[in-house]
Amino acid sequence: MIRSLANRFKQSVQLRLTCFFILILLPLVATSMFSNIRSQSILKDQIGERTQGAMFSVMNSIDLTMQGAYELTTVLANDHDLNRKFVRAGTELTPEAILDFQTINKQIASVASVNRMVPQVSLFHYSSGVLLSTTGYQKEEAKDSLGWISQAVDANGKITIFFPQENRYDANHVVDPVYNKNNMVVMRLMDLQDPLRNKNIVLLPLSKDYFAQLLKALLPSSGAQAFLLTEQGQLVAGTAGNDVEPPAWRDKDKDLVVRELPGYDERMLMVRATSKASGWTLVMVQPEKDILREAKQLQGWNYVMIAVSLLISLWISWVVYSGISKPIRQMITAMKQMRIGQLDTQIVHSRVDEFGYVMDTFNHMAREQRHLIENVYEKQILLMKTELKLLQSQINPHFLYNTLDSIYSEAILSHADNVGEMVFHLSKFLRFSLGKGRDTYTVAETAEHLHYYIKVQQKRFEFEVRFLLDEQVRHVKLLKLLLQPLVENAILHGLEKKRGMRELIISAAAAADDLLVVEVKDNGVGIPAERLAYIGQELGRITSAHMEVAAGEERLSSELFGLRNVKARLKLHYGDQADLLVESVMNEGTAVRLVIPHKFREVDNGRLGDR
């Protein structure tokens, strides 16, 4: 699928234009998207900071409220008259003690009446187990098992807070303030200056509704909720009700987070404000969509603008393409007609722009091409055909084969075996060399071809021959007569002048980097260093883009013609990766190595192909 899209991109100008227009828009789209995301992040941070500032203001008010409650408990706990009356009352309620308790009730009622923050005040006389409050008093029978008494005693005079877990009604069917789930009770032991610390307790029930009203004033939307927690994490009050627990705060080091929370259907903004004075924490939870409602609307408009921009880009690309596609189609049609041989093709147009210039140039080129073909190429082709016919009449392969076969038969009948064998091998060699319809032979067939040529040369003087062919390359195809000039040079210039044992090695093997290496090596007289450098310099000039092997150049007629021819054919058919390397050491021998890339190992009728 990717390849198909890539091909479509290469073949379609309109698709490329559309993609380029879209690429122009991409930075703008990316900038717009980044601006939206960044603005939303900044908006959440700013709203969080403002909300946190308001929460700290409420926390300061709550701290002042609690500070007033703490001071009031201190005043009541250190009231000399109250402590004296409590000390005077024993475990049994005497008439005198009852009168004292009534007097105490009036005192605490007067305190509650002048303090709007504390609508009710309670005192607990431990010895008798009587709990006095502004609504009356009652006796606690199982005082030693009551948790709030143990909590106050364990605090040893320090302020502690008790949260009732259930409602309890007094004799008048009124919820006792100390046992009201809607209250929290601030407690401490009385007579703070008494080193013995009696267990009498002052209790200030504070309504959670008072704190809930303070929290509701903070809520920016109907979906927001606020929770007030003590330093120990106990829920003091919440706008969702006293039974709704606040979400857990996982990021201890952050006071502003946005995440999905259990029990909520959407992402929520969580803001936290912690009082440095009391350690109490105020937590607000608000739906993220409430904060970003207007930003989302703006983002929607941005998306609409992006979509409109894309549509405009497509429209512009179509208009531009339509403006250039017509002349291009005209030129393509004219080129196709030229390719099929209609040399009188002309483009009719009235354009005066760049396309008009190109069309006029094409028309001029077509006329010149027709003139060139009619007046030059046709004459040259006729001349070449005439020369070819003359050459064919002079050298008829069948006539040559029949003549060599006759000479071979006559030599055998005359008992000239050596002459007959030379003629036989020469005939085989020429059949390979002049074979019709084939430009390539496999490595194995090439070795067989060279074998016949070498047999003829071995009749002139003796030398050993070895073929070292790897099995994995025997089927690989090579150009015809690619190795014969190298073998001829090795025999004539290397081995013929050698004294003693002569040896010729022809090898073919696969090398690293997907290369085929064919080598012709002899142990002849070698090449002098200066001559070897000259050969390397001359061969180095031959590349696929620069061929010096050309008919008519007299200086190339004999000088290194064989090596030049082989190097030029290598570069022409196998590309610049192919190479011919010559190595030689005086009096030790010469090695000529052909290097052919893997993807060009096979050549069929002049066309390159993969293995």
Side-chain angles (χ1 to χ4, degrees), residues 432-453:
F432 269 102
S433 301
L434 301 178
K436 293 183 178 180
R438 294 191 63 182
D439 292 330
T440 61
Y441 291 96
T442 65
V443 172
E445 291 173 336
T446 301
E448 182 183 357
H449 179 206
L450 292 174
H451 173 76
Y452 294 120
Y453 173 78

PDB file of all heavy atoms in Angstrom, residues 432-453:
ATOM      1  N   PHE A 432      31.826 -20.666 -30.860  1.00  0.00           N
ATOM      2  CA  PHE A 432      31.396 -19.904 -29.681  1.00  0.00           C
ATOM      3  C   PHE A 432      31.447 -18.411 -29.962  1.00  0.00           C
ATOM      4  O   PHE A 432      30.539 -17.654 -29.626  1.00  0.00           O
ATOM      5  CB  PHE A 432      32.304 -20.224 -28.485  1.00  0.00           C
ATOM      6  CG  PHE A 432      31.800 -21.362 -27.649  1.00  0.00           C
ATOM      7  CD1 PHE A 432      32.352 -22.620 -27.767  1.00  0.00           C
ATOM      8  CD2 PHE A 432      30.768 -21.179 -26.740  1.00  0.00           C
ATOM      9  CE1 PHE A 432      31.888 -23.666 -27.005  1.00  0.00           C
ATOM     10  CE2 PHE A 432      30.309 -22.230 -25.969  1.00  0.00           C
ATOM     11  CZ  PHE A 432      30.866 -23.488 -26.100  1.00  0.00           C
ATOM     12  N   SER A 433      32.560 -17.946 -30.574  1.00  0.00           N
ATOM     13  CA  SER A 433      32.774 -16.515 -30.762  1.00  0.00           C
ATOM     14  C   SER A 433      31.773 -15.908 -31.727  1.00  0.00           C
ATOM     15  O   SER A 433      31.305 -14.788 -31.539  1.00  0.00           O
ATOM     16  CB  SER A 433      34.200 -16.262 -31.264  1.00  0.00           C
ATOM     17  OG  SER A 433      35.153 -16.767 -30.347  1.00  0.00           O
ATOM     18  N   LEU A 434      31.415 -16.640 -32.771  1.00  0.00           N
ATOM     19  CA  LEU A 434      30.523 -16.113 -33.792  1.00  0.00           C
ATOM     20  C   LEU A 434      29.103 -16.616 -33.643  1.00  0.00           C
ATOM     21  O   LEU A 434      28.292 -16.504 -34.565  1.00  0.00           O
ATOM     22  CB  LEU A 434      31.053 -16.491 -35.185  1.00  0.00           C
ATOM     23  CG  LEU A 434      32.467 -15.991 -35.516  1.00  0.00           C
ATOM     24  CD1 LEU A 434      32.886 -16.480 -36.899  1.00  0.00           C
ATOM     25  CD2 LEU A 434      32.512 -14.479 -35.454  1.00  0.00           C
ATOM     26  N   GLY A 435      28.798 -17.197 -32.481  1.00  0.00           N
ATOM     27  CA  GLY A 435      27.459 -17.728 -32.272  1.00  0.00           C
ATOM     28  C   GLY A 435      26.402 -16.660 -32.417  1.00  0.00           C
ATOM     29  O   GLY A 435      26.516 -15.563 -31.875  1.00  0.00           O
ATOM     30  N   LYS A 436      25.343 -16.959 -33.157  1.00  0.00           N
ATOM     31  CA  LYS A 436      24.284 -15.980 -33.421  1.00  0.00           C
ATOM     32  C   LYS A 436      23.263 -15.949 -32.280  1.00  0.00           C
ATOM     33  O   LYS A 436      22.948 -16.971 -31.704  1.00  0.00           O
ATOM     34  CB  LYS A 436      23.565 -16.319 -34.718  1.00  0.00           C
ATOM     35  CG  LYS A 436      24.450 -16.163 -35.963  1.00  0.00           C
ATOM     36  CD  LYS A 436      23.628 -16.441 -37.210  1.00  0.00           C
ATOM     37  CE  LYS A 436      24.459 -16.235 -38.458  1.00  0.00           C
ATOM     38  NZ  LYS A 436      23.685 -16.491 -39.686  1.00  0.00           N
ATOM     39  N   GLY A 437      22.754 -14.734 -32.027  1.00  0.00           N
ATOM     40  CA  GLY A 437      21.622 -14.595 -31.105  1.00  0.00           C
ATOM     41  C   GLY A 437      22.009 -14.631 -29.639  1.00  0.00           C
ATOM     42  O   GLY A 437      21.142 -14.495 -28.779  1.00  0.00           O
ATOM     43  N   ARG A 438      23.267 -14.807 -29.320  1.00  0.00           N
ATOM     44  CA  ARG A 438      23.666 -14.869 -27.909  1.00  0.00           C
ATOM     45  C   ARG A 438      24.776 -13.876 -27.643  1.00  0.00           C
ATOM     46  O   ARG A 438      25.791 -13.853 -28.344  1.00  0.00           O
ATOM     47  CB  ARG A 438      24.131 -16.280 -27.531  1.00  0.00           C
ATOM     48  CG  ARG A 438      23.039 -17.327 -27.577  1.00  0.00           C
ATOM     49  CD  ARG A 438      23.498 -18.625 -26.948  1.00  0.00           C
ATOM     50  NE  ARG A 438      23.807 -18.476 -25.559  1.00  0.00           N
ATOM     51  CZ  ARG A 438      24.276 -19.463 -24.784  1.00  0.00           C
ATOM     52  NH1 ARG A 438      24.510 -20.656 -25.318  1.00  0.00           N
ATOM     53  NH2 ARG A 438      24.527 -19.250 -23.523  1.00  0.00           N
ATOM     54  N   ASP A 439      24.587 -13.057 -26.633  1.00  0.00           N
ATOM     55  CA  ASP A 439      25.613 -12.112 -26.200  1.00  0.00           C
ATOM     56  C   ASP A 439      26.231 -12.533 -24.883  1.00  0.00           C
ATOM     57  O   ASP A 439      27.196 -11.910 -24.433  1.00  0.00           O
ATOM     58  CB  ASP A 439      25.000 -10.718 -26.032  1.00  0.00           C
ATOM     59  CG  ASP A 439      24.592 -10.131 -27.375  1.00  0.00           C
ATOM     60  OD1 ASP A 439      25.236 -10.469 -28.375  1.00  0.00           O
ATOM     61  OD2 ASP A 439      23.628  -9.344 -27.407  1.00  0.00           O
ATOM     62  N   THR A 440      25.655 -13.540 -24.207  1.00  0.00           N
ATOM     63  CA  THR A 440      26.160 -13.942 -22.898  1.00  0.00           C
ATOM     64  C   THR A 440      26.292 -15.455 -22.840  1.00  0.00           C
ATOM     65  O   THR A 440      25.593 -16.198 -23.544  1.00  0.00           O
ATOM     66  CB  THR A 440      25.189 -13.493 -21.776  1.00  0.00           C
ATOM     67  OG1 THR A 440      23.929 -14.128 -21.977  1.00  0.00           O
ATOM     68  CG2 THR A 440      25.015 -11.987 -21.769  1.00  0.00           C
ATOM     69  N   TYR A 441      27.204 -15.871 -21.992  1.00  0.00           N
ATOM     70  CA  TYR A 441      27.393 -17.286 -21.677  1.00  0.00           C
ATOM     71  C   TYR A 441      27.604 -17.403 -20.174  1.00  0.00           C
ATOM     72  O   TYR A 441      28.070 -16.466 -19.517  1.00  0.00           O
ATOM     73  CB  TYR A 441      28.623 -17.862 -22.412  1.00  0.00           C
ATOM     74  CG  TYR A 441      28.447 -17.981 -23.909  1.00  0.00           C
ATOM     75  CD1 TYR A 441      28.908 -16.982 -24.767  1.00  0.00           C
ATOM     76  CD2 TYR A 441      27.806 -19.085 -24.453  1.00  0.00           C
ATOM     77  CE1 TYR A 441      28.749 -17.084 -26.137  1.00  0.00           C
ATOM     78  CE2 TYR A 441      27.646 -19.198 -25.829  1.00  0.00           C
ATOM     79  CZ  TYR A 441      28.113 -18.196 -26.669  1.00  0.00           C
ATOM     80  OH  TYR A 441      27.935 -18.306 -28.010  1.00  0.00           O
ATOM     81  N   THR A 442      27.261 -18.560 -19.623  1.00  0.00           N
ATOM     82  CA  THR A 442      27.514 -18.779 -18.201  1.00  0.00           C
ATOM     83  C   THR A 442      29.012 -18.893 -17.959  1.00  0.00           C
ATOM     84  O   THR A 442      29.816 -19.033 -18.887  1.00  0.00           O
ATOM     85  CB  THR A 442      26.818 -20.045 -17.709  1.00  0.00           C
ATOM     86  OG1 THR A 442      27.397 -21.178 -18.362  1.00  0.00           O
ATOM     87  CG2 THR A 442      25.321 -19.990 -17.987  1.00  0.00           C
ATOM     88  N   VAL A 443      29.375 -18.821 -16.656  1.00  0.00           N
ATOM     89  CA  VAL A 443      30.788 -18.953 -16.302  1.00  0.00           C
ATOM     90  C   VAL A 443      31.323 -20.307 -16.775  1.00  0.00           C
ATOM     91  O   VAL A 443      32.447 -20.405 -17.294  1.00  0.00           O
ATOM     92  CB  VAL A 443      30.970 -18.789 -14.785  1.00  0.00           C
ATOM     93  CG1 VAL A 443      32.395 -19.124 -14.371  1.00  0.00           C
ATOM     94  CG2 VAL A 443      30.615 -17.359 -14.359  1.00  0.00           C
ATOM     95  N   ALA A 444      30.527 -21.362 -16.628  1.00  0.00           N
ATOM     96  CA  ALA A 444      30.960 -22.702 -17.057  1.00  0.00           C
ATOM     97  C   ALA A 444      31.142 -22.746 -18.573  1.00  0.00           C
ATOM     98  O   ALA A 444      32.123 -23.302 -19.085  1.00  0.00           O
ATOM     99  CB  ALA A 444      29.950 -23.747 -16.596  1.00  0.00           C
ATOM    100  N   GLU A 445      30.201 -22.150 -19.327  1.00  0.00           N
ATOM    101  CA  GLU A 445      30.319 -22.136 -20.783  1.00  0.00           C
ATOM    102  C   GLU A 445      31.511 -21.292 -21.235  1.00  0.00           C
ATOM    103  O   GLU A 445      32.211 -21.627 -22.204  1.00  0.00           O
ATOM    104  CB  GLU A 445      29.035 -21.598 -21.397  1.00  0.00           C
ATOM    105  CG  GLU A 445      27.856 -22.541 -21.243  1.00  0.00           C
ATOM    106  CD  GLU A 445      26.562 -21.914 -21.711  1.00  0.00           C
ATOM    107  OE1 GLU A 445      26.471 -20.668 -21.726  1.00  0.00           O
ATOM    108  OE2 GLU A 445      25.635 -22.660 -22.062  1.00  0.00           O
ATOM    109  N   THR A 446      31.761 -20.189 -20.524  1.00  0.00           N
ATOM    110  CA  THR A 446      32.917 -19.348 -20.847  1.00  0.00           C
ATOM    111  C   THR A 446      34.216 -20.113 -20.653  1.00  0.00           C
ATOM    112  O   THR A 446      35.154 -20.011 -21.459  1.00  0.00           O
ATOM    113  CB  THR A 446      32.903 -18.093 -19.974  1.00  0.00           C
ATOM    114  OG1 THR A 446      31.687 -17.378 -20.200  1.00  0.00           O
ATOM    115  CG2 THR A 446      34.070 -17.180 -20.304  1.00  0.00           C
ATOM    116  N   ALA A 447      34.267 -20.904 -19.557  1.00  0.00           N
ATOM    117  CA  ALA A 447      35.466 -21.714 -19.319  1.00  0.00           C
ATOM    118  C   ALA A 447      35.664 -22.737 -20.444  1.00  0.00           C
ATOM    119  O   ALA A 447      36.787 -22.984 -20.900  1.00  0.00           O
ATOM    120  CB  ALA A 447      35.349 -22.407 -17.968  1.00  0.00           C
ATOM    121  N   GLU A 448      34.566 -23.333 -20.891  1.00  0.00           N
ATOM    122  CA  GLU A 448      34.662 -24.287 -21.999  1.00  0.00           C
ATOM    123  C   GLU A 448      35.146 -23.593 -23.271  1.00  0.00           C
ATOM    124  O   GLU A 448      35.976 -24.121 -24.026  1.00  0.00           O
ATOM    125  CB  GLU A 448      33.291 -24.932 -22.226  1.00  0.00           C
ATOM    126  CG  GLU A 448      33.305 -25.988 -23.332  1.00  0.00           C
ATOM    127  CD  GLU A 448      31.923 -26.560 -23.574  1.00  0.00           C
ATOM    128  OE1 GLU A 448      30.990 -26.162 -22.849  1.00  0.00           O
ATOM    129  OE2 GLU A 448      31.783 -27.407 -24.477  1.00  0.00           O
ATOM    130  N   HIS A 449      34.628 -22.412 -23.539  1.00  0.00           N
ATOM    131  CA  HIS A 449      35.043 -21.626 -24.693  1.00  0.00           C
ATOM    132  C   HIS A 449      36.547 -21.342 -24.648  1.00  0.00           C
ATOM    133  O   HIS A 449      37.279 -21.528 -25.634  1.00  0.00           O
ATOM    134  CB  HIS A 449      34.237 -20.320 -24.718  1.00  0.00           C
ATOM    135  CG  HIS A 449      34.602 -19.411 -25.846  1.00  0.00           C
ATOM    136  ND1 HIS A 449      34.422 -18.063 -25.761  1.00  0.00           N
ATOM    137  CD2 HIS A 449      35.142 -19.651 -27.055  1.00  0.00           C
ATOM    138  CE1 HIS A 449      34.833 -17.509 -26.888  1.00  0.00           C
ATOM    139  NE2 HIS A 449      35.266 -18.454 -27.695  1.00  0.00           N
ATOM    140  N   LEU A 450      37.034 -20.886 -23.450  1.00  0.00           N
ATOM    141  CA  LEU A 450      38.465 -20.595 -23.295  1.00  0.00           C
ATOM    142  C   LEU A 450      39.307 -21.863 -23.447  1.00  0.00           C
ATOM    143  O   LEU A 450      40.459 -21.800 -23.887  1.00  0.00           O
ATOM    144  CB  LEU A 450      38.704 -19.945 -21.931  1.00  0.00           C
ATOM    145  CG  LEU A 450      38.124 -18.538 -21.751  1.00  0.00           C
ATOM    146  CD1 LEU A 450      38.312 -18.083 -20.310  1.00  0.00           C
ATOM    147  CD2 LEU A 450      38.773 -17.547 -22.711  1.00  0.00           C
ATOM    148  N   HIS A 451      38.725 -22.981 -23.062  1.00  0.00           N
ATOM    149  CA  HIS A 451      39.463 -24.249 -23.133  1.00  0.00           C
ATOM    150  C   HIS A 451      39.896 -24.536 -24.575  1.00  0.00           C
ATOM    151  O   HIS A 451      41.043 -24.945 -24.822  1.00  0.00           O
ATOM    152  CB  HIS A 451      38.579 -25.378 -22.596  1.00  0.00           C
ATOM    153  CG  HIS A 451      39.179 -26.745 -22.777  1.00  0.00           C
ATOM    154  ND1 HIS A 451      40.198 -27.223 -21.984  1.00  0.00           N
ATOM    155  CD2 HIS A 451      38.896 -27.729 -23.680  1.00  0.00           C
ATOM    156  CE1 HIS A 451      40.528 -28.441 -22.395  1.00  0.00           C
ATOM    157  NE2 HIS A 451      39.740 -28.768 -23.412  1.00  0.00           N
ATOM    158  N   TYR A 452      38.980 -24.283 -25.535  1.00  0.00           N
ATOM    159  CA  TYR A 452      39.329 -24.539 -26.935  1.00  0.00           C
ATOM    160  C   TYR A 452      40.423 -23.591 -27.412  1.00  0.00           C
ATOM    161  O   TYR A 452      41.341 -23.970 -28.142  1.00  0.00           O
ATOM    162  CB  TYR A 452      38.099 -24.416 -27.818  1.00  0.00           C
ATOM    163  CG  TYR A 452      37.062 -25.480 -27.535  1.00  0.00           C
ATOM    164  CD1 TYR A 452      35.783 -25.139 -27.122  1.00  0.00           C
ATOM    165  CD2 TYR A 452      37.372 -26.830 -27.669  1.00  0.00           C
ATOM    166  CE1 TYR A 452      34.834 -26.106 -26.851  1.00  0.00           C
ATOM    167  CE2 TYR A 452      36.428 -27.804 -27.411  1.00  0.00           C
ATOM    168  CZ  TYR A 452      35.169 -27.446 -27.005  1.00  0.00           C
ATOM    169  OH  TYR A 452      34.225 -28.401 -26.738  1.00  0.00           O
ATOM    170  N   TYR A 453      40.324 -22.315 -27.004  1.00  0.00           N
ATOM    171  CA  TYR A 453      41.347 -21.358 -27.403  1.00  0.00           C
ATOM    172  C   TYR A 453      42.701 -21.744 -26.806  1.00  0.00           C
ATOM    173  O   TYR A 453      43.740 -21.680 -27.481  1.00  0.00           O
ATOM    174  CB  TYR A 453      40.937 -19.952 -26.956  1.00  0.00           C
ATOM    175  CG  TYR A 453      42.027 -18.927 -27.173  1.00  0.00           C
ATOM    176  CD1 TYR A 453      42.282 -18.401 -28.438  1.00  0.00           C
ATOM    177  CD2 TYR A 453      42.800 -18.490 -26.102  1.00  0.00           C
ATOM    178  CE1 TYR A 453      43.290 -17.479 -28.633  1.00  0.00           C
ATOM    179  CE2 TYR A 453      43.806 -17.559 -26.292  1.00  0.00           C
ATOM    180  CZ  TYR A 453      44.052 -17.048 -27.554  1.00  0.00           C
ATOM    181  OH  TYR A 453      45.049 -16.140 -27.749  1.00  0.00           O
TER     182      TYR A 453
END
